[in-house]
PDB file of all heavy atoms in Angstrom:
ATOM      1  N   ARG J 170     -18.700  69.999 136.092  1.00 95.00           N
ATOM      2  CA  ARG J 170     -17.461  70.796 136.065  1.00 95.00           C
ATOM      3  C   ARG J 170     -17.391  71.815 137.205  1.00 95.00           C
ATOM      4  O   ARG J 170     -16.395  72.526 137.325  1.00 95.00           O
ATOM      5  CB  ARG J 170     -17.323  71.512 134.721  1.00 95.00           C
ATOM      6  CG  ARG J 170     -17.142  70.585 133.525  1.00 95.00           C
ATOM      7  CD  ARG J 170     -16.734  71.377 132.296  1.00 95.00           C
ATOM      8  NE  ARG J 170     -16.698  70.571 131.086  1.00 95.00           N
ATOM      9  CZ  ARG J 170     -15.647  69.868 130.657  1.00 95.00           C
ATOM     10  NH1 ARG J 170     -14.542  69.865 131.380  1.00 95.00           N
ATOM     11  NH2 ARG J 170     -15.704  69.177 129.539  1.00 95.00           N
ATOM     12  N   HIS J 171     -18.417  71.873 138.026  1.00 93.00           N
ATOM     13  CA  HIS J 171     -18.465  72.885 139.067  1.00 93.00           C
ATOM     14  C   HIS J 171     -18.486  72.244 140.458  1.00 93.00           C
ATOM     15  O   HIS J 171     -18.820  71.069 140.612  1.00 93.00           O
ATOM     16  CB  HIS J 171     -19.689  73.778 138.865  1.00 93.00           C
ATOM     17  CG  HIS J 171     -19.572  74.651 137.652  1.00 93.00           C
ATOM     18  ND1 HIS J 171     -18.992  75.898 137.687  1.00 93.00           N
ATOM     19  CD2 HIS J 171     -19.915  74.437 136.348  1.00 93.00           C
ATOM     20  CE1 HIS J 171     -19.002  76.429 136.474  1.00 93.00           C
ATOM     21  NE2 HIS J 171     -19.556  75.555 135.638  1.00 93.00           N
ATOM     22  N   PRO J 172     -18.127  72.994 141.482  1.00 94.00           N
ATOM     23  CA  PRO J 172     -18.099  72.439 142.849  1.00 94.00           C
ATOM     24  C   PRO J 172     -19.479  71.947 143.275  1.00 94.00           C
ATOM     25  O   PRO J 172     -20.510  72.460 142.842  1.00 94.00           O
ATOM     26  CB  PRO J 172     -17.648  73.629 143.704  1.00 94.00           C
ATOM     27  CG  PRO J 172     -16.937  74.542 142.763  1.00 94.00           C
ATOM     28  CD  PRO J 172     -17.641  74.404 141.445  1.00 94.00           C
ATOM     29  N   SER J 173     -19.469  70.928 144.129  1.00 94.00           N
ATOM     30  CA  SER J 173     -20.711  70.420 144.710  1.00 94.00           C
ATOM     31  C   SER J 173     -20.558  70.400 146.232  1.00 94.00           C
ATOM     32  O   SER J 173     -19.443  70.470 146.758  1.00 94.00           O
ATOM     33  CB  SER J 173     -21.009  69.014 144.192  1.00 94.00           C
ATOM     34  OG  SER J 173     -19.947  68.126 144.492  1.00 94.00           O
ATOM     35  N   ARG J 174     -21.664  70.313 146.916  1.00 95.00           N
ATOM     36  CA  ARG J 174     -21.624  70.295 148.381  1.00 95.00           C
ATOM     37  C   ARG J 174     -21.010  68.982 148.870  1.00 95.00           C
ATOM     38  O   ARG J 174     -21.380  67.903 148.399  1.00 95.00           O
ATOM     39  CB  ARG J 174     -23.023  70.467 148.967  1.00 95.00           C
ATOM     40  CG  ARG J 174     -23.605  71.852 148.712  1.00 95.00           C
ATOM     41  CD  ARG J 174     -24.897  72.068 149.478  1.00 95.00           C
ATOM     42  NE  ARG J 174     -25.426  73.407 149.253  1.00 95.00           N
ATOM     43  CZ  ARG J 174     -25.038  74.489 149.922  1.00 95.00           C
ATOM     44  NH1 ARG J 174     -24.125  74.377 150.872  1.00 95.00           N
ATOM     45  NH2 ARG J 174     -25.554  75.670 149.650  1.00 95.00           N
ATOM     46  N   VAL J 175     -20.094  69.076 149.807  1.00 96.00           N
ATOM     47  CA  VAL J 175     -19.404  67.891 150.321  1.00 96.00           C
ATOM     48  C   VAL J 175     -20.401  66.877 150.877  1.00 96.00           C
ATOM     49  O   VAL J 175     -20.243  65.662 150.691  1.00 96.00           O
ATOM     50  CB  VAL J 175     -18.383  68.286 151.415  1.00 96.00           C
ATOM     51  CG1 VAL J 175     -17.729  67.043 152.023  1.00 96.00           C
ATOM     52  CG2 VAL J 175     -17.324  69.212 150.846  1.00 96.00           C
ATOM     53  N   GLY J 176     -21.446  67.352 151.533  1.00 95.00           N
ATOM     54  CA  GLY J 176     -22.415  66.457 152.157  1.00 95.00           C
ATOM     55  C   GLY J 176     -23.369  65.788 151.190  1.00 95.00           C
ATOM     56  O   GLY J 176     -24.096  64.873 151.577  1.00 95.00           O
ATOM     57  N   ASP J 177     -23.371  66.226 149.923  1.00 94.00           N
ATOM     58  CA  ASP J 177     -24.266  65.628 148.916  1.00 94.00           C
ATOM     59  C   ASP J 177     -23.574  64.393 148.337  1.00 94.00           C
ATOM     60  O   ASP J 177     -23.111  64.394 147.203  1.00 94.00           O
ATOM     61  CB  ASP J 177     -24.569  66.652 147.829  1.00 94.00           C
ATOM     62  CG  ASP J 177     -25.581  66.134 146.814  1.00 94.00           C
ATOM     63  OD1 ASP J 177     -26.193  65.076 147.068  1.00 94.00           O
ATOM     64  OD2 ASP J 177     -25.746  66.783 145.756  1.00 94.00           O
ATOM     65  N   ASN J 178     -23.495  63.330 149.124  1.00 94.00           N
ATOM     66  CA  ASN J 178     -22.656  62.197 148.737  1.00 94.00           C
ATOM     67  C   ASN J 178     -23.280  60.839 149.006  1.00 94.00           C
ATOM     68  O   ASN J 178     -22.606  59.813 148.892  1.00 94.00           O
ATOM     69  CB  ASN J 178     -21.309  62.275 149.467  1.00 94.00           C
ATOM     70  CG  ASN J 178     -21.466  62.266 150.985  1.00 94.00           C
ATOM     71  OD1 ASN J 178     -22.489  61.849 151.519  1.00 94.00           O
ATOM     72  ND2 ASN J 178     -20.444  62.735 151.686  1.00 94.00           N
ATOM     73  N   GLU J 179     -24.556  60.792 149.345  1.00 92.00           N
ATOM     74  CA  GLU J 179     -25.169  59.511 149.683  1.00 92.00           C
ATOM     75  C   GLU J 179     -25.271  58.596 148.470  1.00 92.00           C
ATOM     76  O   GLU J 179     -25.107  57.380 148.563  1.00 92.00           O
ATOM     77  CB  GLU J 179     -26.556  59.732 150.290  1.00 92.00           C
ATOM     78  CG  GLU J 179     -27.213  58.463 150.775  1.00 92.00           C
ATOM     79  CD  GLU J 179     -28.526  58.732 151.477  1.00 92.00           C
ATOM     80  OE1 GLU J 179     -28.859  59.901 151.730  1.00 92.00           O
ATOM     81  OE2 GLU J 179     -29.234  57.742 151.779  1.00 92.00           O
ATOM     82  N   PHE J 180     -25.559  59.167 147.307  1.00 90.00           N
ATOM     83  CA  PHE J 180     -25.634  58.413 146.061  1.00 90.00           C
ATOM     84  C   PHE J 180     -25.245  59.342 144.918  1.00 90.00           C
ATOM     85  O   PHE J 180     -25.247  60.567 145.074  1.00 90.00           O
ATOM     86  CB  PHE J 180     -27.045  57.844 145.827  1.00 90.00           C
ATOM     87  CG  PHE J 180     -28.122  58.904 145.817  1.00 90.00           C
ATOM     88  CD1 PHE J 180     -28.475  59.562 144.646  1.00 90.00           C
ATOM     89  CD2 PHE J 180     -28.779  59.257 146.991  1.00 90.00           C
ATOM     90  CE1 PHE J 180     -29.448  60.545 144.639  1.00 90.00           C
ATOM     91  CE2 PHE J 180     -29.763  60.238 146.995  1.00 90.00           C
ATOM     92  CZ  PHE J 180     -30.096  60.883 145.815  1.00 90.00           C
ATOM     93  N   MET J 181     -24.907  58.770 143.782  1.00 93.00           N
ATOM     94  CA  MET J 181     -24.510  59.583 142.641  1.00 93.00           C
ATOM     95  C   MET J 181     -25.762  60.073 141.913  1.00 93.00           C
ATOM     96  O   MET J 181     -26.641  59.286 141.562  1.00 93.00           O
ATOM     97  CB  MET J 181     -23.649  58.767 141.686  1.00 93.00           C
ATOM     98  CG  MET J 181     -23.071  59.603 140.544  1.00 93.00           C
ATOM     99  SD  MET J 181     -21.825  58.712 139.637  1.00 93.00           S
ATOM    100  CE  MET J 181     -21.599  59.813 138.242  1.00 93.00           C
ATOM    101  N   ARG J 182     -25.829  61.362 141.691  1.00 93.00           N
ATOM    102  CA  ARG J 182     -27.015  61.942 141.069  1.00 93.00           C
ATOM    103  C   ARG J 182     -27.077  61.633 139.581  1.00 93.00           C
ATOM    104  O   ARG J 182     -26.055  61.342 138.943  1.00 93.00           O
ATOM    105  CB  ARG J 182     -27.068  63.447 141.320  1.00 93.00           C
ATOM    106  CG  ARG J 182     -27.218  63.773 142.801  1.00 93.00           C
ATOM    107  CD  ARG J 182     -27.689  65.181 143.043  1.00 93.00           C
ATOM    108  NE  ARG J 182     -27.936  65.405 144.471  1.00 93.00           N
ATOM    109  CZ  ARG J 182     -29.050  65.079 145.095  1.00 93.00           C
ATOM    110  NH1 ARG J 182     -30.050  64.541 144.416  1.00 93.00           N
ATOM    111  NH2 ARG J 182     -29.198  65.301 146.387  1.00 93.00           N
ATOM    112  N   HIS J 183     -28.287  61.738 139.022  1.00 93.00           N
ATOM    113  CA  HIS J 183     -28.534  61.292 137.655  1.00 93.00           C
ATOM    114  C   HIS J 183     -27.732  62.061 136.609  1.00 93.00           C
ATOM    115  O   HIS J 183     -27.461  61.552 135.529  1.00 93.00           O
ATOM    116  CB  HIS J 183     -30.030  61.409 137.337  1.00 93.00           C
ATOM    117  CG  HIS J 183     -30.490  62.825 137.148  1.00 93.00           C
ATOM    118  ND1 HIS J 183     -30.736  63.672 138.212  1.00 93.00           N
ATOM    119  CD2 HIS J 183     -30.722  63.555 136.022  1.00 93.00           C
ATOM    120  CE1 HIS J 183     -31.123  64.848 137.749  1.00 93.00           C
ATOM    121  NE2 HIS J 183     -31.115  64.805 136.438  1.00 93.00           N
ATOM    122  N   ASP J 184     -27.328  63.297 136.941  1.00 94.00           N
ATOM    123  CA  ASP J 184     -26.565  64.117 135.987  1.00 94.00           C
ATOM    124  C   ASP J 184     -25.100  64.242 136.377  1.00 94.00           C
ATOM    125  O   ASP J 184     -24.348  64.993 135.756  1.00 94.00           O
ATOM    126  CB  ASP J 184     -27.188  65.508 135.863  1.00 94.00           C
ATOM    127  CG  ASP J 184     -27.268  66.250 137.207  1.00 94.00           C
ATOM    128  OD1 ASP J 184     -26.895  65.648 138.244  1.00 94.00           O
ATOM    129  OD2 ASP J 184     -27.707  67.411 137.212  1.00 94.00           O
ATOM    130  N   GLY J 185     -24.666  63.502 137.396  1.00 95.00           N
ATOM    131  CA  GLY J 185     -23.274  63.552 137.830  1.00 95.00           C
ATOM    132  C   GLY J 185     -22.901  64.832 138.533  1.00 95.00           C
ATOM    133  O   GLY J 185     -21.712  65.106 138.739  1.00 95.00           O
TER     134      GLY J 185
END
Side-chain angles (χ1 to χ4, degrees):
R170 295 192 187 272
H171 291 271
S173 58
R174 292 189 179 276
V175 176
D177 185 11
N178 59 20
E179 185 175 352
F180 57 89
M181 186 169 170
R182 296 198 175 277
H183 73 281
D184 58 357

